[in-house]
Amino acid sequence: KNLDEKCAIQAQVVSAIQQARLDRVAERDVTDHLLASSPEWPENYNATIPLITPWVYEQKRRIIRNEDLGAAWEELCLQQ
């Protein structure tokens, strides 16, 4: 996959984690929670869930409610 695709898929993962946090899923349960929903991203991206989750969960609730972390992540990813 090219960088654009990889970053877009990572952004989907970030958005799903953000939604889990909005739904008050405990941080330690996020991976199981997301996998139970049969996500659309390729299976090899499941390994990124525990890596990205702490970053999402350390954001302030105000940011979680009001900002699109997936879009922010994608932008950062594309700059690498």
Side-chain angles (χ1 to χ4, degrees), residues 19-26 57 61:
Q19 187 58 53
R21 174 134 183 241
L22 285 169
D23 294 343
R24 300 195 179 277
V25 175
Y57 273 69
R61 283 221 49 99

Side-chain angles (χ1 to χ4, degrees), residues 3-23:
L3 185 64
D4 287 359
E5 265 184 292
K6 285 182 181 166
C7 291
I9 295 168
Q10 286 180 23
Q12 286 180 340
V13 176
V14 171
S15 294
I17 296 168
Q18 181 175 8
Q19 187 58 53
R21 174 134 183 241
L22 285 169
D23 294 343

Side-chain angles (χ1 to χ4, degrees), residues 17 27 30-31 34 48-58:
I17 296 168
E27 184 173 348
V30 168
T31 299
L34 294 186
T48 66
I49 298 170
L51 303 175
I52 297 172
T53 297
W55 179 77
V56 173
Y57 273 69
E58 73 190 13

Side-chain angles (χ1 to χ4, degrees), residues 31-51:
T31 299
D32 291 339
H33 175 80
L34 294 186
L35 297 183
S37 70
S38 303
E40 292 178 12
W41 56 74
E43 200 174 315
N44 57 324
Y45 282 83
N46 292 341
T48 66
I49 298 170
L51 303 175

